[in-house]
């Protein structure tokens, strides 16, 4: 979220999907009723530091972190929220004043705050008092999969042509006579049941599955502002990272980027089974990557991560548990949490029969990791850990060093083009986080390659040595 985009939201005033709270010196406790109502209805934007009419009064700068910490603590307290819910909070400067912004997605579970269920309408938050009202909330939630949520304001113009090209390339490799190869983009969307009628408005629109699979950046940001896939390599630098890709593109573009990242940073290990020769790394990690994007619960802002360490790969994503605890071949209960998304990948021959991916992980990981097995845990956070034998030597080290040099050169090029560039602008242009830019800037200053002329605000960068 940028200040300009947030100003546009604030200008719309309070409504079904926008809520303001002053929270100048202490957290407005009624914000939790709004959060609960947004989770139970259609989601919404919350701004702390604004009056009901949208006037920005600001949060006391010394209280910003305290309020965000309190929010995080309370949202994860089952005595207050049932079920608990993870949100991310973003401090921001608007017209010279500090505010706290966060987006609350629509949840596919029914939530209560202090034992009370809340819903949302144009007039604000209201308690669900009758048994019938509460029962209707649970019925509505139980019928809804997040991927089936409909967005009537979004249509075919909001989809990415390149994503359809990627789909057809994959299909053509698998089956050159597949009927989708002769369909238009809209016919593919309808064939995949990715357009539906919104039960609340009666209007037709794209489903969230369609937007996640094929959407352009505007469509994804509109439907799911918190959507990210964070790819990290922490083989040498375990505090920050050696390399990073922060993906916010559609899934058909994200999947090949994930596989390229895997191939760049993990050791290859060819294997022969019968007369077939294949890569153990690709066979295992393909299933891990697909699990991350197909079985994720997209209603939550919990960060989805794929992290490569020196001796293991760890993935985490938010989840609505089906089987609690550690999963193995005896305890697994195969089911698709996003069947419409899975169906599109299956047309490309990437996703096979239900449960086959997990069986492959357990079959091939011991061959890749000298006898060690994968660890799969299903809780609110779904976690997969794949061990491997580290071989970061020679060319692998060179690859990591070249990646670091490439990032450094990107930063230097941007500074030379605009010495007054801000850290936030650098982050956006270089594809890094704010922390990543801070880390690289600090290293460049320590090495004497760049220096700051003047104050943080109003000064500029100078490249001393390239």
């Amino acid at each position: 979220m940028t200040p300009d985009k947030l100003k546009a939201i604030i200008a719309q005033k309070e409504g079904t999907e926008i809520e303001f709270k002053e929270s100048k010196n202490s957290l407005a406790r009624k914000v939790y009723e709004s959060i609960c109502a947004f989770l139970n209805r259609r989601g919404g934007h919350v701004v702390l530091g604004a009056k009901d009419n949208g006037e920005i009064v600001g949060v006391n700068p010394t209280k910003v972190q305290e309020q965000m910490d309190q929010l995080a603590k309370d949202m994860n307290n089952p005595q207050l929220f049932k079920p608990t819910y993870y949100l991310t909070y973003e401090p921001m400067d608007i017209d010279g004043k500090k505010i706290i912004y966060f987006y609350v997605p629509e949840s596919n579970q029914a939530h209560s705050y202090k034992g009370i269920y809340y819903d949302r309408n144009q007039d604000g938050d209201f308690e669900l008092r009758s048994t019938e009202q509460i029962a209707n909330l649970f019925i509505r939630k139980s019928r809804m999969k997040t991927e089936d949520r409909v967005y009537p304001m979004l249509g075919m113009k909001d989809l990415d042509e390149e994503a359809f090209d990627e789909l057809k390339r994959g299909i053509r490799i698998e089956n050159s006579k597949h009927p989708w190869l002769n369909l238009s983009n809209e016919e593919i969307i309808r064939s995949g049941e990715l357009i539906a009628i919104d039960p609340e408005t009666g209007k037709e629109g794209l489903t969230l599955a369609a937007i996640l699979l094929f959407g352009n950046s505007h469509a994804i940001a509109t439907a799911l502002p918190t959507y990210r896939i964070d790819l990290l390599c922490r083989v040498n630098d375990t505090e920050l990272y050696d390399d990073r890709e922060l993906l916010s593109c559609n899934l058909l573009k994200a999947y090949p980027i994930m596989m390229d990242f895997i191939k760049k940073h993990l050791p290859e290990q060819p294997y022969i089974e019968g007369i077939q020769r294949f890569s153990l790394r690709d066979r295992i990690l393909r299933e891990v990557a697909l699990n991350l994007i197909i079985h994720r619960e997209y209603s939550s802002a919990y960060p989805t991560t794929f992290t490569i360490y020196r001796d293991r790969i760890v993935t985490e994503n938010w989840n609505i548990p089906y089987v609690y605890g550690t999963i193995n071949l005896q305890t697994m209960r195969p089911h698709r949490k996003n069947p419409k998304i899975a169906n599109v990948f299956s047309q490309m021959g990437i996703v096979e029969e239900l449960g086959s991916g997990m069986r492959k992980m357990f079959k091939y990981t011991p061959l890749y990791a000298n006898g060690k097995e994968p660890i799969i845990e299903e809780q609110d956070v779904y976690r997969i850990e794949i061990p491997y034998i580290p071989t970061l030597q020679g060319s692998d080290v060179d690859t990591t060093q070249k990646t670091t040099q490439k990032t450094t050169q990107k930063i230097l090029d941007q500074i030379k083009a605009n010495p007054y560039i801000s850290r936030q602008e650098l982050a956006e242009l270089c594809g890094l986080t704010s922390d990543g830019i801070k880390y690289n800037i600090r290293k460049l200053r320590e090495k004497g390659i760049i220096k700051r002329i003047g104050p943080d605000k109003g000064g500029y960068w100078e490249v001393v040595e390239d």
Side-chain angles (χ1 to χ4, degrees), residues 395-453:
S395 62
D396 292 326
V397 173
D398 291 341
T399 298
T400 300
Q401 290 174 342
K402 287 177 181 177
T403 300
T404 303
Q405 291 168 359
K406 185 178 178 181
T407 300
T408 299
Q409 193 57 51
K410 277 185 183 178
I411 293 171
L412 291 175
D413 289 345
Q414 295 298 334
I415 288 175
K416 284 190 286 187
N418 178 14
Y420 294 91
I421 194 168
S422 68
R423 285 186 173 89
Q424 183 60 39
E425 290 170 332
L426 277 172
E428 292 173 0
L429 291 169
C430 297
L432 298 173
T433 63
S434 297
D435 287 342
I437 286 295
K438 287 179 184 177
Y439 170 78
N440 281 280
I441 288 290
R442 186 176 75 248
K443 290 293 184 183
L444 289 171
R445 295 180 81 169
E446 288 172 355
K447 293 177 182 178
I449 296 174
I450 64 172
K451 65 179 181 180
R452 184 73 178 175
I453 307 297

Side-chain angles (χ1 to χ4, degrees), residues 139-351:
I139 291 169
R140 175 160 53 87
K141 294 295 183 181
S142 66
R143 290 175 177 171
M144 182 189 75
K145 281 187 175 293
T146 303
E147 67 167 5
D148 291 329
R149 191 182 304 156
V150 182
Y151 294 83
M153 75 292 290
L154 297 175
M156 295 302 298
K157 68 182 187 309
D158 299 295
L159 301 184
D160 183 352
E161 185 72 35
E162 291 182 3
F164 288 96
D165 293 342
E166 188 69 40
L167 171 68
K168 290 183 177 180
R169 273 195 295 271
I171 290 176
R172 197 172 287 111
I173 293 170
E174 179 67 17
N175 179 7
S176 62
K177 296 182 179 180
H178 194 291
W180 279 15
L181 294 175
N182 297 315
L183 298 183
S184 68
N185 292 351
E186 183 169 346
E187 288 171 334
I188 289 173
I189 291 292
R190 292 190 180 277
S191 176
E193 299 180 352
L194 301 173
I195 286 182
I197 301 295
D198 180 16
E200 292 192 11
T201 64
K203 295 180 179 179
E204 187 178 69
L206 296 175
T207 64
L208 183 62
I211 296 163
L212 284 167
L213 286 161
F214 299 99
N216 58 29
S217 58
H218 167 73
I220 292 173
T222 298
L224 210 62
T226 58
Y227 161 73
R228 297 286 186 279
I229 301 174
D230 201 353
L231 311 179
L232 293 156
C233 178
R234 284 178 166 160
V235 172
N236 295 314
D237 190 337
T238 56
E239 291 186 8
L240 288 172
Y241 47 81
D242 307 318
D243 191 14
R244 185 180 196 182
E245 291 274 3
L246 189 59
L247 307 182
S248 56
C249 56
N250 59 61
L251 297 179
L252 283 164
K253 284 185 173 180
Y255 173 71
I257 295 173
M258 292 174 72
M259 293 308 299
D260 287 344
F261 192 86
I262 288 165
K263 292 173 183 178
K264 180 166 66 170
H265 293 295
L266 285 168
E268 172 67 289
Q269 189 173 333
Y271 181 71
I272 298 176
E273 188 173 65
I275 61 172
Q276 185 184 17
R277 178 186 174 92
F278 58 85
S279 163
L280 283 173
R281 175 198 63 194
D282 295 352
R283 181 67 58 91
I284 298 163
L285 274 302
R286 182 183 80 166
E287 302 303 333
V288 174
L290 288 169
N291 187 287
L292 194 69
I293 62 179
I294 289 176
H295 296 295
R296 171 180 174 181
E297 173 47 50
Y298 284 95
S299 67
S300 174
Y302 187 87
T304 293
T305 56
F306 183 109
T307 308
I308 298 171
Y309 295 100
R310 182 174 292 276
D311 59 353
R312 67 195 189 284
I313 303 105
V314 177
T315 69
E316 290 188 344
N317 59 273
W318 195 255
N319 177 55
I320 295 177
Y322 190 71
V323 177
Y324 281 86
T326 301
I327 297 177
N328 53 42
L329 293 177
Q330 286 70 48
T331 60
M332 75 174 188
R333 299 290 184 270
H335 65 291
R336 285 181 177 164
K337 297 174 182 175
N338 294 296
K340 304 284 175 57
I341 293 174
N343 174 55
V344 169
F345 279 95
S346 69
Q347 304 304 318
M348 302 164 69
I350 296 175
V351 174

